[in-house]
């Protein structure tokens, strides 16, 4: 048996002190008797395969037993003192195609006791020890996310945060011997300038940075927060939950971590005024493959930018659009920057739809080739639509051939299902109710397929027996994410159980009796392929940190170590914990990201003594209503209420021409909470020429309210041509307050003698005081009149005034202004 880790010693010492036998709960009476000392687990491992971390008290608890016996076998669950606390018999499962093993299933899910140091004994064989605890996944949630901090480029890794073994100077900042990432030239013939592309995460075991891998990994981290927020479990991934430099800043730590990569992704965008402006460079890495081992700050090679690609550009568009949606409550300016980058990337990709990354570009780094980008177009359109509600992105979603197709497995080169997940789960997406229902059904159907695959195997893995390819463990984790999404959409426990059983496989219930996560399990990977966590090559360097996730079995045997040592292996056994086996044992950000997502899902727990308050969901979040006509908004609840809930829908601010004319009172029952009901908003016919906006609230006792915005599309005579320009700028924001400056410019050819500026806030901002203008506010509508001395504006002249206000939620900027009744640009 390999040397015990510190974590293992701590857990087993605690187990030895536990002493008293635990009594089974929810089982038929089981004699609690002393037992003979368990048989030692050999280095090759027991035939009893368990999740070596453990099991949740309210989750599935299953193990696989390797045995050719044709009759059921007796099993005992023993506590740390060796006393049996539950018993039963196995179910014969037979041959497992991927491993070649004859298998039985031992199911001890009915046991709900807790503790450390449990073992499962079957046919004289004893499993590795494991825990049963509601807090089981708390450590893995933190460590799997902490992985990304330690993969950061361009920042010193702090011993106080990462531990002394992992502390290191910043890499690739241009400090000798680094050439640095602060001024990186393109490969010959790609561009004639250099770019500052510092920061971001090193992609995998090498020190390259790849936009297509960064995009999906960032999306998964941010989506883990989005999902937790919807479920009411965001405290577990909130501020000060990770050891990152930004902790304590009021922003959830997982978003702080993802921002490190988002800043890098936006730096990879081709600047304005350059050829292919708005596109994203595909990757940046050393001119030749970085030697192993090499610490980042000691890398002396020239770094190079590689040709922009449509796939990279759409990864930027998708992840930046998601950023604009999720970061807005924490940093409105950063969210706005993300949205601007996303829009420019989308426009550039539409103009350059077939700039494909070639397979031949593999010197010094992975090619990450992709000859099909319809999936990236769909994903980016879905994210932009979910964030903006704009027609151009909706049309790109609904016109895609992928929109009606079945849900497929996702990975960095196939991202359509990321868009489907967003459309199905983000509140307020404005697709028709039947369209949303179809997408949700597609996702649950895919989840059912994975559950069926698991049910037909000896080790319950959500990939087929021929699916053990490079990074197979990430396929397991990604597919388990889809199963977990089905649980969010339906609340059906079989989906939660399926996602948790996928974690069982990754943590030891597999053909090799091997946990693929460093630091988690008695027999865990510790020599993953990496340039500076390279203890196997250099004893002065550390093993990978706890929470690092190995790629997993790969029947392709695509490296010399695997070829030499794994010839003839069954697909599920084609893995070796050796630093040289990059095809089975590398780490990667897009592998750790779904592991972190799953760990956060598994770690989430709520106060079950308190009823869950459902949230009202309104879709679309913004609707346009033609003057004299109406439009509909679909309203539903996010989960079943304990009793009937009456949702009242009413205008809370804005243009009084907009009103609810049907569906002002909706009743949702515990049975029909998921069925969308229609609200009709109408715009009165009048003579004014303004496109008014109003905010509506939908809420009631027993449900968390939602808001949506309606904008009137005026059909009266258009106002005069614009002869003014208005710049609205937030100068400072804190908590629920802000200061801002508005600047009015006369862009016409004649003098303005006295000006009155008007706008309508899209949110609930309230101005409390102003200077250099007289400002009044009615609801969301604001009127600012010159102060006299600044009322005359010559052609080209400007006047500025400032004000202070309060808000809650998102401090979204107004976009439409009028001066003296005329619309401004």
């Amino acid at each position: 048996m390999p040397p015990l880790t510190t974590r293992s010693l701590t857990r087993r010492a605690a187990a030895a002190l536990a002493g008293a036998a635990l009594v089974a709960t929810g089982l038929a009476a089981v004699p609690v008797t002393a037992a003979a000392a368990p048989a030692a687990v050999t280095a090759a491992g027991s035939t009893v395969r368990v999740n070596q971390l453990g099991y949740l008290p309210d989750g599935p608890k299953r193990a696989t037993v390797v045995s050719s016996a044709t009759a059921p076998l007796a099993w005992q669950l023993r506590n740390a003192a060796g006393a049996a606390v539950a018993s039963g018999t196995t179910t014969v499962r037979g041959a497992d195609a991927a491993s070649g093993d004859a298998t039985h299933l031992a199911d001890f899910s009915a046991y709900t006791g807790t503790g450390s140091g449990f073992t499962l004994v079957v046919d004289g064989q004893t499993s590795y020890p494991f825990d049963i605890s509601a807090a089981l996944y708390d450590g893995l949630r933190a460590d799997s996310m902490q992985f990304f901090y330690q993969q950061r480029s361009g920042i010193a890794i702090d011993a106080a945060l990462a531990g002394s073994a992992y502390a290191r100077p910043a890499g690739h900042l241009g400090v000798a011997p680094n050439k640095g990432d602060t001024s990186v030239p393109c490969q010959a013939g790609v561009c004639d300038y250099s770019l500052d592309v510092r920061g971001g995460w090193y992609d995998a075991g090498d020190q390259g940075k790849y936009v297509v891998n960064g995009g999906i990994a960032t999306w998964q981290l941010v989506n883990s927060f989005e999902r937790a927020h919807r479920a009411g479990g965001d405290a577990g991934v909130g501020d000060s939950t990770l050891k990152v430099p930004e902790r304590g800043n009021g922003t959830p730590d997982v978003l702080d971590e993802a921002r490190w990569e988002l800043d890098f992704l936006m730096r990879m965008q081709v600047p304005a005024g350059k050829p292919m402006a708005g596109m994203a460079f595909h990757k940046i890495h050393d001119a030749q493959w970085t030697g192993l081992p090499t610490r980042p700050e000691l890398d002396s090679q020239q770094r190079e930018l590689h040709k922009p690609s449509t796939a990279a550009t759409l990864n930027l568009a998708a992840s930046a659009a998601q950023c604009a949606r999720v970061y807005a409550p924490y940093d409105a300016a950063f969210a706005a920057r993300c949205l601007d980058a996303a829009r420019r990337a989308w426009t550039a990709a539409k103009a350059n739809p077939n700039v494909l990354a070639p397979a031949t570009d593999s010197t010094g780094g992975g090619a990450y080739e992709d000859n099909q980008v319809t999936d990236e177009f769909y994903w980016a359109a879905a994210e932009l639509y979910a964030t903006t509600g704009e027609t151009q992105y909706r049309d790109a979603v609904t016109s895609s051939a992928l929109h009606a197709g079945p849900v497929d497995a996702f990975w960095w080169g196939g991202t359509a299902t990321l868009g489907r997940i967003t459309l199905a789960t983000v509140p307020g997406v404005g697709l028709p109710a039947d369209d949303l229902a179809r997408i949700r059904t597609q996702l649950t159907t895919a989840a059912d397929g994975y559950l069926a695959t698991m049910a037909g195997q000896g080790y319950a893995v959500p990939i087929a027996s021929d699916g053990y390819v490079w990074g197979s463990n990430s396929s397991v984790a990604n597919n388990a994410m889809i199963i977990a999404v089905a649980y969010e959409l339906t609340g059906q426990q079989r989906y939660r159980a399926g996602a948790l059983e996928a974690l069982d496989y990754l943590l030891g219930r597999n053909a090799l009796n091997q946990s693929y996560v460093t630091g988690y399990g008695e027999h865990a990977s510790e020599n993953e392929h990496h340039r500076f966590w390279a203890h196997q090559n250099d004893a002065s360097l550390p093993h990978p940190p706890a929470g690092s996730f190995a790629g997993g079995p790969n029947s392709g045997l695509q490296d010399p170590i695997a070829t030499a040592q794994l010839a003839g292996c069954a697909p599920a056994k084609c893995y070796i914990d050796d630093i040289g086996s990059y095809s089975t044992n590398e780490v990667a950000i897009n592998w750790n990201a779904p592991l972190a997502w799953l760990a956060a899902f598994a770690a989430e727990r709520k106060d079950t003594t308190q009823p869950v308050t459902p949230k009202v969901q309104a879709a679309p979040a913004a609707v346009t209503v033609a003057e004299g006509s109406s439009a509909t908004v679909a309203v539903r609840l996010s989960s079943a209420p304990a009793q009937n809930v009456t949702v009242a829908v009413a205008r809370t601010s804005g243009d009084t021409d907009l009103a609810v004319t049907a569906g002002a009172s909706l009743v949702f029952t515990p049975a029909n909470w998921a069925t969308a009901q229609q609200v009709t908003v109408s715009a009165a016919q009048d003579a004014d020429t303004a496109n008014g906006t109003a905010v509506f609230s939908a809420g009631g006792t027993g449900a968390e309210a939602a808001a949506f915005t309606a904008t009137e599309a005026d059909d009266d005579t258009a106002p005069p041509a614009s002869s003014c320009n208005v710049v609205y700028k937030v100068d400072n924001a804190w908590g629920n307050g802000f200061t801002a400056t508005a600047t009015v410019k006369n862009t016409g050819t004649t003098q303005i003698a006295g000006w009155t500026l008007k706008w309508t806030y899209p949110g609930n901002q309230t101005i409390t005081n102003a200077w250099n203008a007289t400002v009044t506010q009615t609801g969301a509508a604001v009127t600012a009149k010159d102060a006299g001395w600044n009322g005359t504006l010559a052609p080209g002249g400007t006047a500025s005034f400032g004000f202070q206000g309060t808000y809650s939620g998102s401090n979204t900027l107004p976009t439409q202004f009028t001066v003296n009744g005329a619309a401004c640009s």
Side-chain angles (χ1 to χ4, degrees), residues 558-579:
Q558 292 159 286
D559 64 73
I561 297 293
T563 301
Q565 300 195 37
L566 297 175
C569 56
K573 296 180 179 179
C574 295
Y575 169 83
I576 183 169
D577 184 25
D578 188 291
I579 195 170

Side-chain angles (χ1 to χ4, degrees), residues 703-800:
E704 184 178 327
F708 63 90
T709 301
T711 301
E712 176 190 26
D714 198 277
D715 63 1
D716 295 301
T717 303
S722 171
S723 60
C724 52
N725 171 264
V726 176
V727 175
Y728 180 106
K729 178 185 177 185
V730 173
D731 300 310
N732 191 21
W734 63 93
N736 62 348
F738 70 99
T739 59
T741 300
T743 301
V744 180
K745 181 176 183 179
N746 180 2
T747 59
T749 57
T750 59
Q751 176 178 283
I752 295 176
W755 50 263
T756 298
L757 170 65
K758 293 184 178 182
W759 73 82
T760 299
Y761 277 120
N764 62 355
Q765 297 97 326
T766 300
I767 294 176
T768 55
N769 61 82
W771 48 95
N772 297 334
T774 300
V775 179
T776 57
Q777 183 171 353
T778 302
V782 178
T783 300
K785 183 171 176 53
D786 66 78
W789 58 269
N790 59 354
T792 300
L793 297 179
T798 63
S800 297

